[in-house]
């Protein structure tokens, strides 16, 4: 059984505006949405770093728990480079200074070689045979060695600082993308708008397809919940974390 935590992030934080809300689907709107997705993943990485620090400062000696928080932070950061929405734009990476790009490569190496995959020298699986004195061979064992990388407190500080730096650089690209969307909407709003309104719907968590891809959902946001315990009226501001 899978539970889903709802986190709603409004990147622009604009005030309420009267009128019908519809979905902007042009190239400019898609780029803005993609950059906003990157920002949301960076916020998640920072939040996980903060949880790690809270746990460490509390005096916790639970190394597996600390390691799990560190790994989730690395995974969240790694989504900006290899997430479902695509890779981090090269022009954003080029705007980073040399030190930040080096830290980005370090974080991605952690994600790709040690956390997300096991393509490193610390993970080896060997099939061991034994040869007797008379020359007969027999299988002895399959030996698997899995050493887990545990990030230190200093590593987590570096990762958090990296995510904050990338967010500051990303903010400029977000603002440019926002202006491009506004400019695209101005001459002919109908040409860049879908006549569909964004919709939020609750579905049974038992029936939700967790393995499928997002597909062409056209503005429909499905949230899997236990429908026996939750009704539509239960989903209010207390159920979402607003970051922005």
């Amino acid at each position: 059984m899978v539970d889903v935590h709802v986190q709603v992030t409004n990147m622009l934080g604009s005030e309420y505006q009267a009128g019908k809300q519809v979905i902007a689907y042009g190239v400019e709107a898609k780029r803005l949405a993609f950059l906003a997705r990157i920002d949301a993943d960076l916020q998640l990485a920072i939040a996980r770093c903060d949880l790690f620090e809270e746990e460490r400062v509390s005096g916790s000696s639970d190394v597996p728990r600390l390691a799990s928080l560190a790994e989730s932070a690395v995974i969240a950061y790694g989504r900006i480079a290899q997430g479902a929405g695509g890779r981090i734009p090269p022009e954003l990476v080029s705007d980073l200074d040399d030190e930040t790009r080096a830290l980005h490569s370090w974080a991605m190496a952690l994600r790709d070689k040690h956390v997300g995959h096991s393509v490193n020298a610390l993970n080896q699986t060997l099939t061991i045979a034994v040869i007797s004195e008379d020359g007969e061979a027999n299988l002895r064992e399959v030996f698997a060695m899995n050493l887990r990388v545990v990030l230190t407190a200093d590593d987590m500080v570096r990762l958090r600082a990296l995510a904050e730096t990338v967010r500051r650089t990303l903010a400029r690209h977000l603002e440019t993308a926002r202006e491009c969307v506004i400019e695209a909407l101005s001459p002919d709003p109908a040409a860049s708008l879908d006549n569909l309104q964004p919709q939020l719907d609750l579905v049974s968590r038992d029936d939700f397809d967790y393995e499928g891809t997002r597909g062409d959902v056209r503005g429909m946001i499905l949230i899997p919940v236990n429908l026996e315990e939750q009704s539509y009226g239960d989903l209010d501001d207390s159920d979402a974390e607003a970051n922005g």
Side-chain angles (χ1 to χ4, degrees):
M1 189 69 67
V2 177
D3 280 326
V4 175
H5 169 69
V6 181
Q7 177 175 328
V8 178
T9 305
N10 181 359
M11 298 299 164
L12 300 181
S14 59
E15 67 279 0
Y16 172 78
Q17 299 179 33
K20 178 183 178 182
Q21 297 186 56
V22 294
I23 301 170
Y25 68 92
V27 174
E28 297 84 0
K30 288 182 178 179
R31 175 173 172 79
L32 178 59
F34 170 55
L35 294 177
R37 177 72 265 166
I38 291 177
D39 192 68
D41 288 330
L42 289 170
Q43 289 189 56
L44 181 59
I46 291 168
R48 291 297 178 267
C49 290
D50 290 342
L51 285 175
F52 176 96
E53 183 63 12
E54 290 174 10
E55 188 76 10
R56 187 189 68 82
V57 171
S58 70
S60 173
S61 58
D62 189 344
V63 173
R65 177 176 173 81
L66 289 171
S68 296
L69 288 171
E71 288 173 354
S72 67
V74 171
I75 290 172
Y77 183 86
R79 287 171 61 177
I80 74 171
Q82 298 184 4
R87 296 178 181 273
I88 184 172
E91 62 270 20
L92 194 156
V93 177
S94 64
D95 281 351
L96 304 174
D97 58 39
D98 292 342
E99 181 180 358
T100 303
R101 280 198 295 271
L103 282 175
H104 174 73
S105 297
W106 163 79
M108 291 310 304
L110 281 175
R111 185 267 182 199
D112 293 342
K113 300 179 183 299
H114 296 281
V115 178
H117 305 284
S118 57
V119 287
N120 59 77
L122 298 180
N123 290 268
Q124 299 285 340
T125 303
L126 305 173
T127 300
I128 308 297
V130 59
I131 302 177
S132 65
E133 293 182 357
D134 58 9
E136 292 186 359
N138 197 5
L139 177 65
R140 178 177 179 178
E141 64 181 344
V142 177
F143 175 74
M145 180 182 72
N146 295 293
L147 301 181
R148 190 176 187 182
V149 170
V150 179
L151 273 69
T152 66
D154 288 342
D155 290 330
M156 295 299 286
V157 170
R158 292 171 66 199
L159 182 60
R160 191 189 193 287
L162 170 63
E164 288 281 16
T165 300
V166 176
R167 275 200 79 200
R168 287 193 295 271
T169 303
L170 176 63
R172 298 194 295 270
H173 291 262
L174 274 168
E175 179 59 24
T176 300
R178 186 185 72 85
E179 293 172 354
C180 287
V181 172
I182 294 174
E183 183 179 349
L185 292 176
S186 299
D188 184 8
S192 298
L193 294 176
D194 197 322
N195 198 30
L196 293 175
Q197 294 179 279
Q199 300 178 61
L200 187 75
D201 198 10
L202 305 183
V203 297
S204 170
R205 64 183 181 183
D206 297 328
D207 299 330
F208 187 79
D209 182 9
Y210 294 95
E211 298 180 9
T213 58
R214 181 171 58 240
D216 186 15
V217 293
R218 303 300 296 265
M220 173 66 75
I221 301 174
L222 302 178
I223 301 180
V225 297
N226 185 348
L227 293 179
E228 295 180 357
E229 298 179 357
Q230 178 137 19
S231 65
Y232 284 85
D234 295 331
L235 190 64
D236 55 27
D237 291 340
S238 63
D239 295 309
E241 292 180 357
N243 302 307

